[in-house]
Amino acid sequence: MAYAIAVLVGYLAGCSNMAYYIARLREVDLRSGGSGNLGASNATVLLGWKAGVLVAVHDIGKAALAVLAMKWLFPHAANVGSVAGGACVLGHIFPFYLKFRGGKGFASFLGVTLALNWKLALIVLAAVVIVTVMTDYIVCGTFTAIVAVPVYMGVATRSWLPALILAAATVVIFYKHRENIPRMLNHTELGLRSAIRGENRVK
């Protein structure tokens, strides 16, 4: 029962989409511009960095809260937080009320990592910032994190079930970013610096 509740709570928490709420207030359809996703990166590109930060904080926070809430409610259920976290990432990517078209899941993935191992999350976040600044592509930082986290949790901490759950999330997040790779290779992917300058922002 604890795991069923964790899946339900995690998924519903993941369905909360700040990018969609802000876009509705601004009368902008994020799914018809930029990457077409309802996440922090596309919010940054189309709505500006302030909106992007708000969306990122929300998406990280909802995943972290889902994990911590389930661990608090069911302290004797092993890995119940990881189950809730995995469900939250899926809820963010596939929200039922948005025709299963949400964000790409990275911020929520980071939120799960933060709740499971905050020291690792801070290291990963620093690595994401460094890689993103060096390459100018947010997706490069994303790929670095979603590969490093499950590998570290499995190999270094022996937390095999959380590592497997996060590895499954990694596969889905990779799939959601599949269109970014050819754009980077063709140099048509919008870079971080261009996004900050607002070159593709909706007026």
Side-chain angles (χ1 to χ4, degrees):
M1 181 62 69
Y3 298 103
I5 293 174
V7 169
L8 179 62
V9 170
Y11 176 78
L12 291 177
C15 287
S16 175
N17 194 295
M18 184 60 68
Y20 175 73
Y21 306 148
I22 295 175
R24 283 292 299 270
L25 288 173
R26 298 270 295 271
E27 298 183 346
V28 174
D29 184 4
L30 293 182
R31 288 172 293 187
S32 64
S35 64
N37 286 274
L38 293 171
S41 295
N42 206 33
T44 301
V45 170
L46 297 180
L47 301 176
W49 69 267
K50 292 180 181 179
V53 169
L54 180 58
V55 172
V57 170
H58 171 270
D59 292 347
I60 292 171
K62 69 184 181 185
L65 285 174
V67 173
L68 294 174
M70 291 301 100
K71 290 175 69 175
W72 178 73
L73 284 173
F74 305 106
H76 302 298
N79 298 307
V80 69
S82 301
V83 172
C88 187
V89 173
L90 293 179
H92 178 75
I93 297 173
F94 306 112
F96 68 93
Y97 66 100
L98 295 173
K99 299 181 180 179
F100 302 99
R101 292 179 59 197
K104 293 185 176 182
F106 173 63
S108 293
F109 180 95
L110 187 59
V112 175
T113 306
L114 181 65
L116 294 177
N117 188 329
W118 66 268
K119 292 181 180 179
L120 173 61
L122 292 180
I123 294 172
V124 167
L125 182 58
V128 168
V129 171
I130 293 171
V131 171
T132 299
V133 170
M134 289 179 62
T135 63
D136 195 35
Y137 292 129
I138 298 173
V139 69
C140 290
T142 298
F143 287 166
T144 300
I146 62 177
V147 171
V149 169
V151 169
Y152 176 85
M153 294 192 74
V155 175
T157 70
R158 305 291 180 178
S159 302
W160 293 111
L161 183 57
L164 288 174
I165 291 173
L166 289 173
T170 292
V171 172
V172 178
I173 294 171
F174 257 121
Y175 177 77
K176 290 293 291 184
H177 284 84
R178 66 193 184 282
E179 296 177 354
N180 296 82
I181 297 173
R183 288 202 298 264
M184 284 193 299
L185 295 176
N186 296 328
H187 303 289
T188 56
E189 175 82 353
L190 186 68
L192 174 66
R193 295 172 183 82
S194 298
I196 292 175
R197 289 194 298 266
E199 295 180 3
N200 204 36
R201 190 177 306 170
V202 176
K203 305 299 183 182

